[in-house]
Amino acid sequence: MFVPLLSALLNSLKSYKEYTSVPIQWIPNPFQWQNYIEVWKMTAMDTYALNSLIVTVLSVIGALLSCSMVGYAFARLQFPFKRSLFVMVLGTLMIPPVVMIIPQFIIFKHLGFLDTLVPLWIMEWLAQPFGVFLMRQAFLAIPKEFDEAAKLDGCTPFQTYWRVYLPMCKPQLATLTIFTFMTKWNEIMAPVIYLSSEDKFTLPIGILSMSGAWFGQEQYLVAAALMSLLPILLVFLFTEKYFVRGASSSGLK
């Protein structure tokens, strides 16, 4: 993983002549740091980044709230057909996302959500199956004595979930945050389907839309791609400790 990333970083700092040289010139001479400034000037990166940030933040909030609440219900509450409903939730993991494209497009069209950012984040507020499974496993690992103690203190089921159980699931919440952040920040298919105005573009399709204009200046494309990765690296660095603990406790590798 480190070698391709280093190679991309060096390519982003080359001139076009060095970028296309044969044999390969690995080290730029001199380093073209202005490539990043030129990319920022040539594109609406600030607009693309803001749109991606809005979509990603709303998606992460929606995923954390919906998946934790549904996961808590499956783990701690008693209601009819609980096991069958959970099997149905897990069964949706086997449905290829491409099958859902046309039905979702028709629904969003009738709701007037086309060419808006809403279709890009609203689905995360409906509890995605992977997040539900992850949070259910986390809640099941907590001893029932906490539940009984909360009842003795007069907590309602929601207060027990919010004040007692949720703070003890920080590793799993961090894991869900990273997965959702990476998925939504790098998502290409949904923005291509639902967005048509350039001022609504997110970073991935904003950069792709400019790739034709960078013919003969492909080092700018590499620089733009690396700039789009920076937020993901920052999120991972800040949540790495919780992510490792969450992955270990949930059996993910």
Side-chain angles (χ1 to χ4, degrees), residues 140-177:
L140 283 176
I142 299 174
K144 292 182 178 179
E145 286 74 13
F146 287 96
D147 200 6
E148 296 169 357
K151 287 181 180 177
L152 290 176
D153 290 338
C155 291
T156 63
F158 180 78
Q159 288 173 328
T160 305
Y161 148 77
W162 186 259
R163 295 180 178 177
V164 179
Y165 280 82
L166 203 57
M168 289 191 284
C169 296
K170 290 179 181 177
Q172 290 77 17
L173 293 174
T175 302
L176 185 58
T177 297

Side-chain angles (χ1 to χ4, degrees), residues 200-245:
K200 301 291 195 314
F201 283 180
T202 54
L203 263 178
I205 62 170
I207 293 173
L208 285 177
S209 68
M210 293 296 297
S211 59
W214 285 334
F215 181 73
Q217 297 174 315
E218 280 78 5
Q219 73 278 14
Y220 291 155
L221 189 61
V222 182
L226 285 180
M227 290 170 69
S228 70
L229 288 178
L230 186 60
I232 294 177
L233 295 176
L234 292 176
V235 169
F236 183 77
L237 289 176
F238 282 115
T239 58
E240 179 186 8
K241 180 178 65 176
Y242 291 119
F243 174 74
V244 172
R245 289 170 54 191

Side-chain angles (χ1 to χ4, degrees), residues 56-93:
T56 305
V57 170
L58 290 176
S59 298
V60 169
I61 294 173
L64 293 179
L65 290 176
S66 62
C67 294
S68 63
M69 284 193 285
V70 176
Y72 175 77
F74 278 123
R76 292 302 186 188
L77 302 184
Q78 299 299 325
F79 52 90
F81 309 110
K82 186 174 79 169
R83 185 175 181 81
S84 300
L85 289 173
F86 183 65
V87 171
M88 289 176 62
V89 171
L90 292 184
T92 60
L93 284 170

Side-chain angles (χ1 to χ4, degrees), residues 2 10 24 26 39 49 56 86 100 118 123-124 130 135 147 161 173-174 188 194 209 211 216 222 224 226 249 252:
F2 179 74
L10 293 175
I24 297 175
W26 293 102
V39 168
T56 305
F86 183 65
M100 305 301 294
V118 177
M123 296 302 294
E124 298 299 329
F130 169 75
M135 296 309 302
D147 200 6
Y161 148 77
L173 293 174
I188 292 180
Y194 297 118
S209 68
S211 59
V222 182
L226 285 180
S249 61
L252 300 174

